[in-house]
Amino acid sequence: MGNASATRFIFIDNLRVFLPMLVVAHHAAQPYGPTGGAWPMFNPERAAVLGPFFAVNAAFFMGLFFFISGYLLPAAYDRKGPWQFLIARFQRLGLPLLFFSLVVFPWVLYHLTARSGSFWAFIGQAYVRPLTLEVAHLWFLVHLLFYAVCYTLWRQVGGERKLPVTLSFRRLCVSRYGAIITYLFSLTVVTFIVRINYPIDRWVQLFGCLPTEVAHLPQYLSLFIMGIVAYRYNWLRQISRAQGFIWLKIGLGAALLRYAYSLGRERLFLADVLAGGGWDWRSLVWSGWEATICVGLCLGLLILFREKVDFQGKFMKILSNNGYAVYLIHILFVLYLQFAMADLSMSPLAKFGWVTLLGIPLCFGCSILLRRLPFVRWVIS
């Protein structure tokens, strides 16, 4: 079975700088637009343009994170072996997850949301009685840990050796549009079926331990698996520049159309509400629309960065080394900036812009300082 080139894909490192920045912007917008998710604070005035901003982001950026994570997984396993691989996964994913969930998030939530009472009373009410553990945006790490265990078990039973026989991946030539369109159509149908009972923004605990927005699980899980397969068959080098740019245009066109549709509605945010799920033709339309944005932007951005940003100077290397730490810590800076601006007389878009513009350099600067500490560098190297 062929492997991807052993050469490090610099363009993926550079893409992993852009994606955490987009995550910072996405969370910076939460109090100022029509989000359906929970957030510690909300601005009384909302900006309609942030509705499609949330929808377009949710359509692709976490899916692209999962694809890249799946893509990088086989090489790490091949290099370390099963036990060292799992130890390294726990070191990089599990330790930050435990630290933030047990130490950081309780204090932050108490400081930002508690109106009265002691810290321990707050902990008893928010954590002990419901027996919950707040992981916030680090749900992504929980999934990656679970998938790493599943991948290890699959490799131990010889799963990868059966790929060509059971799934015929060699015949799914990505240079042809048929395979991609088939995936897009399949993702549309499965997403629509799942959202009949699990609309967007409804979270559940899968297997009692996986915080999951089920509405997007078909996208996340399938792209994670596709990333593994893409590595084994070197798909990212086989997809042509022309095909990648065509899909990028399709994804951008579908995203811009989403903005035009939402902002053109007479009733504010109606489009966002109707796209949530249920047995509704509008949910089917949005499932296909979202899948088109997902496939177009995920594939298009990968090829765009491969063709245009497959190099790295000193500054870009520093940013790429700190992208993961920025993902871990950004929520703290975003929340405190949002609360600091709560009483300012500014439009919601202006507040969103300032939180984003201040939050991104603050997060990278803090990450650079934190990674000078030996233990931090060892955990998230």
Side-chain angles (χ1 to χ4, degrees):
M1 185 182 297
N3 285 353
S5 171
T7 304
R8 186 178 181 90
F9 283 165
I10 295 176
F11 72 91
I12 291 182
D13 288 341
N14 292 336
L15 187 54
R16 290 198 295 172
V17 173
F18 163 73
L19 287 177
M21 290 182 179
L22 185 57
V23 171
V24 174
H26 186 87
H27 287 148
Q30 290 289 326
Y32 312 121
T35 177
W39 200 252
M41 64 91 66
F42 285 100
N43 198 65
E45 185 184 358
R46 308 293 179 85
V49 70
L50 293 178
F53 177 73
F54 292 135
V56 170
N57 288 346
F60 84 95
F61 75 147
M62 290 309 301
L64 187 49
F65 266 122
F66 275 105
F67 178 90
I68 293 173
S69 299
Y71 189 86
L72 299 175
L73 204 67
Y77 184 96
D78 293 344
R79 187 170 60 252
K80 299 176 184 294
W83 291 111
Q84 287 301 316
F85 168 75
L86 288 177
I87 291 171
R89 291 292 91 184
F90 180 78
Q91 170 189 321
R92 183 171 173 81
L93 303 173
L95 291 182
L97 179 64
L98 290 175
F99 175 73
F100 276 87
S101 299
L102 298 176
V103 179
V104 176
F105 291 153
W107 279 104
V108 171
L109 289 175
Y110 172 72
H111 183 242
L112 294 179
T113 64
R115 297 291 179 264
S116 62
S118 69
F119 170 73
W120 297 112
F122 170 78
I123 292 297
Q125 182 179 5
Y127 286 85
V128 177
R129 291 174 190 169
L131 288 177
T132 61
L133 189 66
E134 179 61 64
V135 297
H137 64 295
L138 301 186
W139 64 267
F140 178 56
L141 275 61
V142 182
H143 279 253
L144 292 186
L145 272 174
F146 181 78
Y147 298 163
V149 173
C150 292
Y151 180 77
T152 301
L153 294 174
W154 183 61
R155 286 289 297 269
Q156 289 300 295
V157 298
E160 280 206 351
R161 292 195 296 271
K162 302 174 184 177
L163 274 178
V165 176
T166 59
L167 297 177
S168 301
F169 279 122
R170 289 189 184 278
R171 291 185 290 175
L172 288 178
C173 181
V174 294
S175 63
R176 300 176 181 176
Y177 289 94
I180 299 174
I181 293 173
T182 299
Y183 170 73
L184 192 158
F185 177 78
S186 301
L187 181 59
T188 297
V189 173
V190 174
T191 299
F192 169 69
I193 293 173
V194 166
R195 291 181 182 177
I196 293 173
N197 294 314
Y198 294 95
I200 293 174
D201 287 323
R202 177 183 293 175
W203 287 75
V204 302
Q205 291 285 340
L206 286 182
F207 312 116
C209 63
L210 287 176
T212 305
E213 185 196 17
V214 183
H216 282 107
L217 186 60
Q219 176 195 128
Y220 299 158
L221 186 56
S222 63
L223 284 175
F224 182 81
I225 295 171
M226 294 287 280
I228 294 172
V229 177
Y231 172 80
R232 285 305 183 197
Y233 294 104
N234 203 16
W235 282 359
L236 293 187
R237 290 301 186 191
Q238 294 177 9
I239 300 173
S240 70
R241 172 192 176 107
Q243 185 183 20
F245 284 3
I246 287 174
W247 279 107
L248 179 61
K249 292 175 182 177
I250 291 172
L252 288 174
L256 291 174
L257 188 61
R258 181 65 169 85
Y259 275 87
Y261 176 72
S262 287
L263 299 179
R265 305 290 296 188
E266 292 184 3
R267 293 185 62 187
L268 194 61
F269 312 146
L270 181 60
D272 303 279
V273 174
L274 292 177
W279 187 264
D280 192 304
W281 66 268
R282 287 161 291 196
S283 178
L284 176 60
V285 169
W286 175 238
S287 296
W289 201 340
E290 183 182 76
T292 303
I293 295 173
C294 172
V295 172
L297 291 186
C298 287
L299 181 56
L301 286 172
L302 284 163
I303 303 307
L304 175 66
F305 274 69
R306 187 194 72 186
E307 296 296 320
K308 300 294 186 180
V309 204
D310 198 16
F311 58 90
Q312 200 172 73
K314 183 177 180 180
F315 179 69
M316 200 64 183
K317 183 173 178 58
I318 291 174
L319 294 183
S320 67
N321 288 340
N322 287 276
Y324 176 54
V326 167
Y327 181 86
L328 293 176
I329 67 175
H330 79 276
I331 204 76
L332 308 178
F333 292 93
V334 166
L335 281 172
Y336 279 100
L337 285 170
Q338 289 166 345
F339 275 89
M341 295 183 180
D343 296 327
L344 296 181
S345 180
M346 299 170 62
S347 71
L349 275 182
K351 290 182 179 180
F352 159 63
W354 278 112
V355 173
T356 302
L357 291 175
L358 293 173
I360 289 175
L362 281 173
C363 289
F364 275 97
C366 183
S367 171
I368 291 170
L369 293 176
L370 285 174
R371 292 183 71 253
R372 292 181 177 178
L373 301 174
F375 180 75
V376 174
R377 189 166 59 247
W378 175 73
V379 172
I380 57 175
S381 60

